[in-house]
Amino acid sequence: MAIRDILIIPEKKLRLKSELVKTIDKPLRALVDDMFATMYEAPGIGLAAIQIGEPLRLITMDVAGKEEPKDPRVFINPEIVWSSDDTSTYEEGCLSIPEYYEEVVRPASIKVKFLDIDGKEQELTAEGLLSTCLQHEIDHLNGVLFIDHISKLKRDMVMKKFKKAAKKSGGDLANDKEPSHHIG
Ligand code: GNR
Ligand code: NI
């Protein structure tokens, strides 16, 4: 079990559409273990595999409160099969966009179909934080981030800030722009 690095914007991989999980085998279960370790350590209430660089339709989640017992959940190949017309607004954050929080409007309730860790088909109707978090994570599987649901002005401000930070610390590898000519 390993804590893995979480990708931060403007990392291009975060924009990939993740692939269906084909087989639930030992390596996949090891990946799930890494995702839980990484998610709990962060700490976060959800994690999509692409956030640790694995473009698979795989999510870990635990929306239990601090005082409540752990409630680890795994969603494999999740699909939203129904969304409510009524919406709810929640202040969201993302481990791939650290320390930025903004209100997002989403359907209040959804019904999802998915496979559990034993490969068994499951259905779940979610509301509240579980619904919000599931929609946030399923967005990740499609290369969508919560800042895509806020105003372009706010999104552009956030992207600018993180591009600048990546340029300062990581240089060209962490940046989605052209190679720097200042090295050497
Ligand atoms: O830890 C997280 N908290 C959170 C809060 C409100 C809405 C969504 C989330 S998910 C986030 C972890 C994360 O980035 N998952 O992709
Ligand atoms: Ni996120």
Side-chain angles (χ1 to χ4, degrees), residues 43-48 51 90-96 129 132-133 136-137 140:
I45 59 173
L47 193 75
Q51 292 182 276
Y90 201 91
E91 185 174 74
E92 298 195 17
C94 182
L95 295 172
S96 297
L129 182 57
T132 295
C133 191
H136 175 116
E137 302 310 339
H140 274 301

Side-chain angles (χ1 to χ4, degrees), residues 77-98:
N77 300 340
E79 275 182 80
I80 297 174
V81 295
W82 172 82
S83 303
S84 66
D85 290 331
D86 65 312
T87 59
S88 77
T89 304
Y90 201 91
E91 185 174 74
E92 298 195 17
C94 182
L95 295 172
S96 297
I97 313 171

Side-chain angles (χ1 to χ4, degrees), residues 19-130:
E19 300 288 333
L20 287 169
V21 171
K22 289 218 179 91
T23 44
I24 303 171
D25 50 11
K26 208 169 172 187
L28 190 95
R29 288 190 291 271
L31 173 59
V32 168
D33 285 350
D34 284 359
M35 287 173 65
F36 275 119
T38 305
M39 182 185 87
Y40 283 123
E41 197 266 345
I45 59 173
L47 193 75
I50 191 60
Q51 292 182 276
I52 58 168
E54 307 285 347
L56 289 171
R57 304 187 81 79
L58 171 65
I59 291 163
T60 56
M61 198 175 296
D62 190 335
V63 296
K66 261 188 189 171
E67 314 290 279
E68 290 161 20
K70 274 190 179 183
D71 183 22
R73 299 168 184 262
V74 180
F75 299 90
I76 299 170
N77 300 340
E79 275 182 80
I80 297 174
V81 295
W82 172 82
S83 303
S84 66
D85 290 331
D86 65 312
T87 59
S88 77
T89 304
Y90 201 91
E91 185 174 74
E92 298 195 17
C94 182
L95 295 172
S96 297
I97 313 171
E99 290 168 67
Y100 181 75
Y101 306 89
E102 193 51 72
E103 287 192 338
V104 176
V105 182
R106 299 184 185 271
S109 184
I110 58 166
K111 184 173 166 185
V112 289
K113 286 191 180 180
F114 60 99
L115 298 179
D116 66 20
I117 195 62
D118 299 315
K120 189 167 177 280
E121 276 202 51
Q122 301 283 354
E123 269 188 16
L124 172 70
T125 302
E127 56 181 31
L129 182 57
L130 180 61

Side-chain angles (χ1 to χ4, degrees), residues 120-182:
K120 189 167 177 280
E121 276 202 51
Q122 301 283 354
E123 269 188 16
L124 172 70
T125 302
E127 56 181 31
L129 182 57
L130 180 61
S131 170
T132 295
C133 191
L134 261 168
Q135 292 176 69
H136 175 116
E137 302 310 339
I138 292 169
D139 270 355
H140 274 301
L141 307 186
N142 297 318
V144 175
L145 301 169
F146 85 90
I147 53 172
D148 299 334
H149 297 290
I150 66 178
S151 77
K152 176 165 159 50
L153 183 70
K154 284 177 180 168
R155 179 169 59 254
D156 286 351
M157 274 170 48
V158 176
M159 287 307 303
K160 188 178 169 189
K161 184 187 155 198
F162 279 88
K163 280 178 180 174
K164 189 177 171 189
K167 205 168 185 176
K168 266 191 175 168
S169 67
D172 304 317
L173 287 174
N175 198 307
D176 66 350
K177 281 202 166 161
E178 73 279 359
S180 167
H181 301 286
H182 312 300

